[in-house]
Amino acid sequence: MRVVLSVYGARGSVEPMAALAVRLRERGAEVRVCAPPDEEFTELLAACGVPSVPAGAPVRPLVTTVEPGSAAGLAQRAADLMGAQFGPVAEAAEGCDALVATGPLPVTAAARSVADRLGVRYVYATHTPVVLPAPHQPPPGRRGRPLPPDVRDNAELWDLDARLANDMFGAMLGAFRDSAGLPPVDDVRGYAFTDRPWLSADPVLSPWPPTGLGVVQTGAWFRPRAAVRPLPPEVAAFLEAGPPPVYVGFGSTPLGTAAPGIVRAAVEAVRARGRRVIVARGWAGLDPADGGDDCLTVGETDHQALFARVAAVMHHGGAGTTAAAARAGAPQVVVARSGDQPYWAGRVAALGIGTAHDSQAPTPASLAAALDPALRPETRARAEALRHTVRRDGAAKAALLLNETAGR
């Protein structure tokens, strides 16, 4: 079986696809991953033994320069994303048996178009449930197209979201499809998502209630332990030199000019509780000014290897980081900023495995107050108990399912 995985997004999007690629290769499939050409993603896929195909512009410069929430340049970015699917992704998918896609709507709608033109099996996958239409939740909103605050009915809001998607991307997608000899579509979102989207989120950490949408929840996609990289020597040495530290990291979340203040507040909060701290630079370039023997700043480090050895994880609430901390049994402090992050913060708080920091402007005092419950023995006990319920085989289940259905 030949499979092409198409992904566009930051680390939290690429990492699950790498996990699926590894599991597909274990089943004897020939796999190629079409991903942004950022060096860290190319290195990640190479370390997994998976061939990668550059598709689209690098993500990191875009994330770190675009003003959060701004729609400036959105139309051109959407056109570029669609062009990458009809270009290098289509070329990579020639003769394949299945195409699995995740990412923004311009990516997935174009990817399905490519699959239809080639006559291959198409699967839409997402690692966050908030994007899926359902009566129990409102849509997350689209850049430059805010939802009316006076409308409370979720069904009405999802209908409006579908119309907004058509307005924003329908004509553009139609032009690409016309050039490929395909007819236009009248529901861009529904076309991209299909009536059986895959949700790569853990069913305990993020249960999906029954809805009219035939969601296939596989569990989160983790790389197998054999594919996990060892900790860098300096990190291992720091961990051995004292009691478990608190991890602080915001992944690829753009923090802009707020970054120095946030990292200072976090380090002060951790120190105020008598704990050492590991700060992940992330895409915001976090770097405590004073350093100190009780503080280590690290680059990209394997979460699976690190989180099992820390006292707590203070993070932005990305789907991947939340799942990795839950899998490690580490209590969490979620400092949500945007997107699906408030959802994951709410889930962590509801499960009692950590706290949700409720301010967009964290201070040492507010972060220390959020950290206190996370460091209590009872929170650790709940996180440890949940760890044993988190599925480890989500990517393996997805690989099996794809193998069984690719020929349909």
Side-chain angles (χ1 to χ4, degrees):
M1 180 172 68
R2 290 188 57 209
V3 181
V4 169
L5 310 181
S6 178
V7 54
Y8 194 85
R11 183 86 184 202
S13 298
V14 178
E15 181 82 31
M17 286 299 228
L20 177 60
V22 170
R23 291 303 193 183
L24 285 167
R25 283 172 59 87
E26 289 177 349
R27 301 190 65 83
E30 179 184 336
V31 186
R32 302 176 78 182
V33 179
C34 300
D38 300 70
E39 183 178 0
E40 64 183 276
F41 302 151
T42 303
E43 292 177 351
L44 165 65
L45 294 167
C48 294
V50 179
S52 60
V53 176
V59 170
R60 184 166 183 168
L62 179 64
V63 169
T64 54
T65 57
V66 171
E67 181 181 347
S70 171
L74 177 61
Q76 184 58 55
R77 293 197 298 273
D80 292 343
L81 291 175
M82 289 186 186
Q85 299 301 304
F86 280 92
V89 174
E91 183 177 345
E94 286 281 355
C96 75
D97 299 291
L99 172 59
V100 182
T102 189
L105 189 55
V107 169
T108 53
R112 183 176 181 184
S113 300
V114 167
D116 284 352
R117 183 174 69 81
L118 297 176
V120 302
R121 164 85 163 141
Y122 165 81
V123 174
Y124 168 82
T126 180
H127 56 273
T128 179
V130 301
V131 302
L132 296 175
H136 66 272
Q137 62 184 15
R142 299 190 179 277
R143 284 182 180 268
R145 301 291 186 96
L147 296 168
D150 57 327
V151 178
R152 303 297 182 188
D153 182 76
N154 288 335
E156 184 178 348
L157 289 172
W158 281 111
D159 287 343
L160 175 57
D161 177 74
R163 295 196 297 272
L164 290 175
N166 288 341
D167 290 344
M168 296 171 70
F169 308 120
M172 186 183 303
L173 179 66
F176 277 103
R177 289 174 60 87
D178 183 65
S179 67
L182 296 169
V185 297
D186 57 9
D187 178 7
V188 175
R189 190 191 70 199
Y191 177 74
F193 287 8
T194 77
D195 58 1
R196 284 185 62 80
W198 287 11
L199 176 58
S200 58
D202 184 76
V204 173
L205 188 60
S206 178
W208 181 261
T211 69
L213 191 63
V215 173
V216 178
Q217 187 164 17
T218 62
W221 296 353
F222 297 112
R223 282 182 286 158
R225 176 58 64 178
V228 174
R229 293 160 299 141
L231 293 172
E234 65 274 16
V235 178
F238 183 80
L239 291 168
E240 294 291 338
V246 172
Y247 169 94
V248 174
F250 287 80
S252 58
T253 299
L255 301 177
T257 57
I262 290 176
V263 70
R264 281 196 302 269
V267 171
E268 287 183 33
V270 175
R271 283 173 170 164
R273 296 303 179 259
R275 297 281 181 165
R276 303 185 305 150
V277 58
I278 291 179
V279 175
R281 292 188 185 90
W283 286 9
L286 300 182
D287 189 10
D290 61 346
D293 293 341
D294 65 342
C295 180
L296 178 69
T297 304
V298 301
E300 196 281 313
T301 306
D302 199 297
H303 287 170
Q304 289 190 49
L306 178 58
F307 286 176
R309 301 183 62 181
V310 300
V313 177
M314 184 182 293
H315 65 100
H316 57 301
T321 307
T322 304
R327 183 185 183 186
Q332 305 180 47
V333 177
V334 183
V335 188
R337 306 286 293 180
S338 61
D340 63 340
Q341 297 168 8
Y343 168 80
W344 294 110
R347 290 302 303 153
V348 165
L351 290 165
I353 58 173
T355 56
H357 183 272
D358 60 0
S359 172
Q360 286 281 313
T363 65
S366 68
L367 290 175
L371 184 59
D372 279 339
L375 293 175
R376 291 172 187 159
E378 57 268 31
T379 306
R380 166 64 71 172
R382 285 191 292 269
E384 279 287 341
L386 185 78
R387 175 175 70 88
H388 297 291
T389 69
V390 174
R391 292 190 63 133
R392 265 64 172 170
D393 65 343
K397 179 181 177 181
L400 175 62
L401 183 60
L402 190 63
N403 187 72
E404 292 176 341
T405 62
R408 296 182 186 175

